[in-house]
Amino acid sequence: MTGTKKSAPAKRPKARTAASAAAAATPLVMPGVRPVVFLDANILIPEYLRSIFLELSEAGLLQANWSEGVLVETRRNLIDPEGRFGLDAVRVDRMLKLMRSHFPQALVLGSESLVPQFVGRTDPKDEHVAAGALKRSKAVYGGEPVVLVTSNVTDLPQAAFAGTKVRVARPGRLLAELVNAEPAVAAAIDRMLKRFRKPKTTREDLLNIMVKADCIEFAEALATAWGLRPE
């Protein structure tokens, strides 16, 4: 006689910590303060998100940062022949070279020593990302507020940064707050769109791209800043 197998108990979602709840309620962008952001590879991989953050950094509306590990991960995903993009390696290397030369202060060095403190607190593949964001924060005595921008807040939870000045946020939230706080953001993105010629990208095209990228609140804030209304 065969015994009846007991089904495994369903996994419960992790309870939201008080620190995470407080962080979610606190604005990421303060009036008159240029936010310092550390970008995960999943922000640098999509062309339009990458372009937006680089354009806003160039305009002095935020300060973008990344680590060597993030750039390596970005390159690996963009050139993977079996992946979503499959781009030519020469083209990707040229792009990364331009990023390095145009934003020399963006590269965060020496974060390797901080990786061990994130073991068991983030997903193993994201420990280097967490370490990079914390290293950037520690560049200033007492810690500087840094927003770790990532599309994967599950593997990089706010709780992993308890006791630090690093905040974790999705790109849509950070960009929406920035648009609402700084009118120059909409104009900067307009300038960026003029450089997209193959294919040409309209305001409406970009808004739809952002919605598909799960940046709905940013798309709504940007549409309002542009004076666009849904039909």
Side-chain angles (χ1 to χ4, degrees):
M1 181 178 171
T2 19
T4 307
K5 291 184 180 179
K6 293 183 179 180
S7 57
K11 292 184 179 180
R12 295 181 180 179
K14 293 181 180 178
R16 196 180 200 185
T17 66
S20 298
T26 305
L28 299 168
V29 178
M30 305 303 292
V33 179
R34 180 178 64 163
V36 177
V37 302
F38 186 90
L39 305 177
D40 194 357
N42 55 39
I43 305 301
L44 293 176
I45 292 169
E47 181 180 15
Y48 287 92
L49 265 183
R50 177 178 68 245
S51 297
I52 287 170
F53 276 97
L54 295 183
E55 185 72 29
L56 297 181
S57 191
E58 170 70 15
L61 297 169
L62 59 77
Q63 183 182 338
N65 295 269
W66 47 72
S67 65
E68 189 62 40
V70 165
L71 295 183
V72 168
E73 187 177 344
T74 299
R75 181 184 189 276
R76 182 173 65 249
N77 280 274
L78 287 175
I79 69 172
D80 182 359
E82 297 181 359
R84 176 183 171 188
F85 302 95
L87 299 182
D88 176 66
V90 174
R91 173 186 169 188
V92 173
D93 288 340
R94 186 185 305 120
M95 178 197 76
L96 294 175
K97 183 179 180 180
L98 286 172
M99 286 173 58
R100 292 175 189 276
S101 62
H102 205 68
F103 301 97
Q105 303 304 317
L107 187 63
V108 176
L109 301 171
S111 60
E112 295 80 9
S113 63
L114 298 177
V115 168
Q117 74 184 71
F118 291 103
V119 173
R121 302 173 73 181
T122 68
D123 187 274
K125 63 180 174 52
D126 291 312
E127 291 164 358
H128 73 96
V129 181
L134 183 56
K135 179 67 177 181
R136 177 60 186 84
S137 177
K138 287 178 173 287
V140 174
Y141 178 75
E144 181 176 17
V146 169
V147 181
L148 168 51
V149 185
T150 179
S151 296
N152 187 4
V153 296
T154 301
D155 291 341
L156 284 162
Q158 183 62 54
F161 297 94
T164 76
K165 292 188 177 180
V166 176
R167 301 275 302 281
V168 180
R170 295 181 184 275
R173 179 187 172 192
L174 183 279
L175 291 171
E177 288 194 22
L178 193 57
V179 169
N180 291 330
E182 179 51 75
V185 170
I189 295 177
D190 261 337
R191 290 195 299 272
M192 178 197 81
L193 288 177
K194 291 178 181 178
R195 294 196 293 274
F196 280 93
R197 298 175 182 174
K198 294 182 180 179
K200 181 180 179 180
T201 305
T202 66
R203 286 174 165 182
E204 290 78 7
D205 291 334
L206 181 66
L207 295 176
N208 284 323
I209 290 168
M210 290 298 102
V211 168
K212 291 176 182 177
D214 199 24
C215 294
I216 298 174
E217 52 192 322
F218 168 51
E220 291 175 345
L222 185 58
T224 300
W226 278 337
L228 301 179
R229 295 289 183 271
E231 296 179 358

